[in-house]
Amino acid sequence: MKEFKFDVEAVRAQFPACQLKVAGEPIAYLDGPGGTQVPQRVLDAITGYLINDNANEGGNFGASHRTDEVENLAFAAAADFLGCSPQEVGFSNASTQHSYNFSVNIAKTMSPGDEVIITEIDHQCNSQPWRRLGELGFTVKTVRLDPETKQLDFDDYMSKLSDRTKVVAINWAANAIGTVTDVKRFIDAAHEVGAVTVVDAVHYAAHKPVDVKAIGTDVLLCSPYKCFGPHMGLAYMDEKLLASLSFNNAGAEDIAEGSRKFHMGTPQYELMCGMIEAVNFIADIGEKYADCFEDELQGLEGRRRNVVAGMMAIDEYEAPLAAKLRQALYEIPGVTVYGPAEGEERTPTVAFTMEGHTPEEVTEVFGARGINSWHGDFYAIETVAALGLADKGGLIRLGLAPYCTEYDIDRTIATIREIAGV
Ligand SMILES: Cc1ncc(COP(=O)(O)O)c(C=O)c1O
């Protein structure tokens, strides 16, 4: 296997935002879990569509024909990103919109007394739509987050799962603290009782390759704007579930096929063009580093192979930088890091608090120095409450992306040490 050496400068050269400075320093984009920057090719694809091909679909003229083609290319790119067929993917404004859309339409197949399971480690996107179903007479049960291990409590899950459970909505990677859940174990148990599974992969998909067929979920949510694309939602729905549901989409449900069934009105074609290029950007990284991951790529071909290799390369680059940041934080007095134990699978997202300084105060200092970061609960409200931080301003969150550098991390550590007075 070839030695892995990631060329971060080659990545940065593709991102116009990486050329920007604050106070004479290149901006450290550690705000990635809230949304990543975009490469030039994504921008060009969006403007190129709006200049040359801007139309609705299904017409008898060039731009409309090309728009039909854009939609097909977008389905193909999304399918390569998630490891499924192009008929099983669709788009929306955001994952939260997909989540509401799916919950309303899956609920039509349920009866009062049926149960839904959500978790304390979820973003509101994957819990709030289901919680609202409680108003319709369904029981909603919440799986506990173990505040010690920062993992979901599988025994608690099993105690709540029954043949009344119709939906299990679960998170793959926690956007607040980076915990990666063994979702396949939860999905297999849900399928034993005949429940539909919805996996929120919004945070996971930004750092690790997704294979929807390998985990066997019925539904999966992710958001291209977390993975170098434009602001939009991308969802997978298994063909059989898709065929069994009817969607509310202003009459088009009768004529729409495959995942077009869950498009609500005219989709964002220009953003689809950007999404295609975000997938191609990942695939190009993969092509460069595929030799380093030969074993893991066995049996994969074409762009799917390169996408998987690309995400593996991104993970391999980000993880040690995040580990360096965590190790430095562990040694600073008054800093508490929140996340799974070292050695557990995780994303390169580092959450912490600082004694004597609210998260908002810390991110204000970062912001003034061009270190972009987030503070608060990031809509992972139950996670932050389970950690006992709901009334303390939540967490400070720093997240890696493949355009972040070791210099960004060193500068951030120095700033934290300065705030801590050490
Ligand atoms: C884990 C997770 N799920 C869901 C969402 C919501 O995604 P969207 O903004 O596309 O609705 C986010 C956004 O931060 C997230 O991190």
Side-chain angles (χ1 to χ4, degrees):
M1 188 190 288
K2 216 174 85 179
E3 193 201 345
F4 179 75
K5 195 163 182 331
F6 193 74
D7 186 355
V8 64
E9 288 310 324
V11 169
R12 288 177 66 79
Q14 298 178 59
F15 287 76
C18 289
Q19 318 315 318
L20 304 179
K21 293 189 173 182
V22 166
E25 294 280 9
I27 296 175
Y29 292 103
L30 299 176
D31 57 335
T36 49
Q37 300 304 315
V38 295
Q40 183 68 47
R41 64 200 287 172
V42 168
L43 303 172
D44 291 345
I46 295 171
T47 50
Y49 171 83
L50 289 171
I51 293 167
N52 300 307
D53 306 322
N54 192 7
N56 214 313
E57 60 194 288
N60 286 326
F61 54 98
S64 183
H65 293 318
R66 290 194 294 279
T67 295
D68 293 339
E69 186 57 13
V70 159
E71 205 171 20
N72 289 329
L73 292 172
F75 287 142
D80 280 343
F81 186 59
L82 299 179
C84 58
S85 100
Q87 286 75 39
E88 294 175 309
V89 289
F91 307 103
S92 69
N93 272 352
S95 288
T96 304
Q97 192 177 45
H98 273 139
S99 185
Y100 269 105
N101 188 16
F102 295 162
S103 66
V104 165
N105 290 295
I106 291 173
K108 290 192 282 188
T109 67
M110 291 166 56
S111 316
D114 283 348
E115 296 179 0
V116 175
I117 293 184
I118 57 175
T119 84
E120 277 186 349
I121 211 168
D122 267 276
H123 184 286
Q124 293 291 291
C125 159
N126 203 30
S127 55
Q128 188 65 354
W130 300 106
R131 204 178 280 116
R132 290 188 75 118
L133 288 180
E135 294 163 9
L136 301 176
F138 306 125
T139 302
V140 179
K141 296 182 169 175
T142 308
V143 181
R144 169 180 174 271
L145 166 69
D146 183 334
E148 291 303 312
T149 63
K150 318 288 187 296
Q151 307 274 355
L152 278 182
D153 182 339
F154 190 73
D155 293 338
D156 185 46
Y157 171 61
M158 289 308 283
S159 75
K160 289 175 170 148
L161 193 68
S162 77
D163 54 10
R164 300 300 326 247
T165 311
K166 294 294 174 259
V167 176
V168 172
I170 188 174
N171 174 276
W172 201 345
N175 64 313
I177 54 174
T179 302
V180 172
T181 296
D182 177 2
V183 283
K184 185 164 185 343
R185 194 173 175 216
F186 286 73
I187 291 165
D188 287 348
H191 287 166
E192 286 282 314
V193 299
V196 165
T197 58
V198 181
V199 170
D200 174 352
V202 174
H203 185 55
Y204 186 92
H207 303 288
K208 293 164 192 283
V210 172
D211 184 342
V212 287
K213 300 297 176 187
I215 58 168
T217 188
D218 302 296
V219 178
L220 181 132
L221 311 172
C222 75
S223 304
Y225 75 90
K226 310 279 191 189
C227 328
F228 327 113
H231 287 102
M232 64 193 296
L234 157 63
Y236 157 84
M237 187 176 285
D238 166 74
E239 236 164 0
K240 283 197 281 310
L241 180 64
L242 194 54
S244 72
L245 295 178
S246 74
F247 289 86
N248 304 327
N249 59 3
E253 65 264 35
D254 299 333
I255 48 168
E257 285 173 4
S259 48
R260 282 183 172 85
K261 276 170 72 170
F262 60 71
H263 281 182
M264 298 175 88
T266 303
Q268 302 120 305
Y269 304 113
E270 61 274 30
L271 303 190
M272 289 186 196
C273 293
M275 189 276 305
I276 295 166
E277 282 311 310
V279 171
N280 289 339
F281 161 75
I282 296 167
D284 283 355
I285 292 181
E287 193 165 11
K288 198 162 165 180
Y289 297 103
D291 292 355
C292 303
F293 307 105
E294 270 167 7
D295 292 348
E296 294 88 341
L297 299 175
Q298 296 266 339
L300 299 176
E301 289 177 350
R303 183 171 53 188
R304 170 67 186 158
R305 181 175 194 270
N306 288 339
V307 165
V308 172
M311 291 312 300
M312 295 186 80
I314 287 171
D315 191 25
E316 195 80 12
Y317 172 70
E318 294 172 341
L321 283 183
K324 175 177 177 172
L325 175 59
R326 286 195 307 276
Q327 290 307 329
L329 292 181
Y330 292 147
E331 282 163 23
I332 300 175
V335 169
T336 307
V337 179
Y338 294 82
E342 291 299 327
E344 297 288 339
E345 198 187 355
R346 66 196 307 155
T347 61
T349 293
V350 182
F352 64 102
T353 54
M354 293 187 73
E355 218 174 271
H357 306 273
T358 65
E360 185 168 10
E361 285 164 3
V362 175
T363 57
E364 235 174 71
V365 177
F366 285 162
R369 296 182 182 196
I371 298 170
N372 293 5
S373 67
W374 285 105
H375 67 274
D377 62 30
F378 330 107
Y379 297 97
I381 296 174
E382 281 81 29
T383 308
V384 167
L387 298 176
L389 299 171
D391 56 358
K392 299 188 173 73
L395 292 155
I396 305 145
R397 182 182 67 180
L398 302 172
L400 273 295
Y403 44 70
C404 297
T405 61
E406 187 147 19
Y407 179 69
D408 293 338
I409 297 302
D410 290 343
R411 195 157 84 79
T412 303
I413 293 167
T415 302
I416 297 167
R417 292 181 65 83
E418 212 183 293
I419 297 170
V422 293

